[in-house]
Amino acid sequence: RKTTYYVPQGRAIHCMVILYTPIEDLITKNDRRCEDRNTGDCAVPSTEQDRLQRGYIKLTKVLPWIHEKLASLDNEESEDMLKKLKRSTDSARGDDTGTLKELVASWVNIECRPTPLLRADDKHRRGFVSDACGQLLCPAEWHWDDPIIKAGICDCTVTFIVSENSWLSFMHENHEADLKNLERGLMKSKLWLIPLQAFKAIFTSPSSTNEVDGEGDGADRLRTTNVRFALSNITSWRIMDGDFNYQIFWNNIVDFFGDTPGPAARARVNELLEWWTRQVTDNQQRLILMANSLQKSFQAKSLAGLDDGGYFPNVCQCSRCSETAYGGCRI
């Protein structure tokens, strides 16, 4: 029962808290910071220390019971609990990357119409090998259509190194950046809306988004790194993809949301998070209304004695069936 309980909790950690940092490191760094504070050590924390501290705070928001739980367990029990959380976190990463691999391929085929079309089960024709994927993966400050830039990126020349220190084209609205203001339209791409809507409203039930409390920026960070991976041609998850470092890319996005340089930047980030919340809420409401409408329509037809097979052909809904049975009762 304990393992079953920790599975959804571990998935929440992956989605909203951390991608690379072990849970043990977050807890250890927080304990050390508290000790330094108690001993009067007022050294200015580094950016990395602040990032880990924000990660721990996020962890306690997502799993509000963890601090008290750790205090009540001995070392062996604590290690066992953290192992179970890590196992479910790793499992969540594999599930998410596998799902996005298919979703992103479908989206690129519909929106960009590459030749040949991307295959959901094959990543070798993605990355900069694919003109469509290359355009989306291109740093926002460069123009993929420029043959010199395209050749430089594909040939991995020193002048056109694609690293984690650039925002990528797929992160911007309409996949085009305003070179005078790279924040304009950042993280408002349609490519983000597809996996967002899918994970929040299709592959999970509408109510499942409320199972774990948390803020939106963790999911935004996760989506960015996973979409980048889905567009690439590497077949297994790893930190380095050529000159591109996923861990530093993740940290850059963490800092964008959490380490804002001033109140004006904080206001822009809050506005972006509110925009994302509206996208999630509006989409869920549409799906709920659609489902309710279909259900009422079916019930009305049933009460009227009409059998409209166009909606649910020969569906058994008897209480004895473990699930909806198409083609008649399974009992």
Side-chain angles (χ1 to χ4, degrees):
R1 290 180 62 182
K2 288 183 179 179
T3 302
T4 304
Y5 173 77
Y6 289 134
V7 167
Q9 313 298 323
R11 296 185 73 87
I13 294 173
H14 169 67
C15 290
M16 288 185 264
V17 182
I18 53 176
L19 184 64
Y20 294 101
T21 307
I23 307 172
E24 298 92 325
D25 286 359
L26 291 179
I27 296 172
T28 301
K29 295 292 184 182
N30 177 74
D31 291 345
R32 186 173 302 168
R33 188 159 180 161
C34 291
E35 291 173 3
D36 291 342
R37 189 179 303 160
N38 293 334
T39 57
D41 187 351
C42 299
V44 178
S46 65
T47 302
E48 176 65 19
Q49 289 172 329
D50 280 341
R51 188 184 299 123
L52 291 173
Q53 181 66 14
R54 290 196 301 271
Y56 179 80
I57 293 172
K58 179 72 72 174
L59 176 66
T60 58
K61 288 182 179 180
V62 174
L63 306 181
W65 48 265
I66 193 168
H67 189 79
E68 184 177 348
K69 188 74 173 178
L70 286 171
S72 66
L73 300 176
D74 58 32
N75 288 338
E76 185 176 348
E77 291 172 328
S78 296
E79 290 178 2
D80 182 63
M81 180 187 73
L82 294 176
K83 283 181 181 178
K84 290 183 173 67
L85 289 173
K86 182 180 184 302
R87 192 180 306 140
S88 58
T89 300
D90 293 341
S91 175
R93 179 185 300 168
D95 292 346
D96 291 348
T97 53
T99 302
L100 264 183
K101 181 174 70 173
E102 299 181 6
L103 281 173
V104 169
S106 299
W107 185 91
V108 172
N109 288 338
I110 293 171
E111 295 293 326
C112 304
R113 300 184 180 181
T115 304
L117 296 175
L118 300 184
R119 290 177 50 185
D121 60 347
D122 181 18
K123 292 197 67 185
H124 294 92
R125 293 185 179 274
R126 303 188 193 187
F128 294 110
V129 175
S130 164
D131 191 62
C133 292
Q135 185 171 14
L136 295 169
L137 291 171
C138 181
E141 62 268 23
W142 296 340
H143 293 286
W144 175 255
D145 292 334
D146 186 325
I148 296 177
I149 294 177
K150 184 185 297 187
I153 291 175
C154 292
D155 295 338
C156 301
T157 61
V158 177
T159 308
F160 297 104
I161 292 177
V162 178
S163 76
E164 64 284 344
N165 293 316
S166 293
W167 297 134
L168 307 179
S169 294
F170 79 81
M171 301 170 66
H172 285 80
E173 190 173 13
N174 299 323
H175 314 131
E176 293 182 3
D178 183 347
L179 297 183
K180 296 181 180 180
N181 182 4
L182 288 177
E183 279 193 34
R184 183 173 296 168
L186 181 63
M187 302 183 191
K188 289 188 176 182
S189 166
K190 287 183 180 179
L191 184 55
W192 272 33
L193 291 177
I194 298 300
L196 172 70
Q197 294 168 353
F199 281 122
K200 294 293 183 182
I202 298 176
F203 289 101
T204 60
S205 64
S207 61
S208 66
T209 58
N210 298 321
E211 288 178 359
V212 182
D213 292 332
E215 300 173 12
D217 53 330
D220 294 338
R221 299 192 299 260
L222 175 69
R223 257 197 315 281
T224 311
T225 51
N226 277 354
V227 169
R228 203 281 173 189
F229 173 77
L231 288 168
S232 74
N233 60 357
I234 59 173
T235 56
S236 59
W237 186 265
R238 56 177 182 264
I239 291 179
M240 294 300 301
D241 177 8
D243 295 301
F244 190 92
N245 187 308
Y246 278 97
Q247 184 166 2
I248 298 178
F249 184 56
W250 165 272
N251 289 341
N252 290 340
I253 301 172
V254 172
D255 293 341
F256 174 82
F257 283 102
D259 191 19
T260 51
R266 182 73 257 169
R268 291 195 298 271
V269 166
N270 289 338
E271 184 180 350
L272 175 62
L273 294 176
E274 289 172 4
W275 183 86
W276 271 107
T277 300
R278 288 196 301 271
Q279 306 309 305
V280 176
T281 304
D282 292 348
N283 183 71
Q284 287 179 350
Q285 290 300 322
R286 285 195 297 270
L287 286 175
I288 292 172
L289 290 173
M290 185 184 300
N292 290 340
S293 176
L294 287 174
Q295 184 178 18
K296 289 179 180 178
S297 175
F298 177 74
Q299 290 174 345
K301 291 176 183 292
S302 298
L303 291 173
L306 301 176
D307 182 17
D308 187 350
Y311 284 98
F312 304 96
N314 197 17
V315 177
C316 176
Q317 292 186 325
C318 81
S319 59
R320 296 176 298 167
C321 287
S322 59
E323 57 183 288
T324 302
Y326 289 84
C329 182
R330 294 184 177 183
I331 304 300

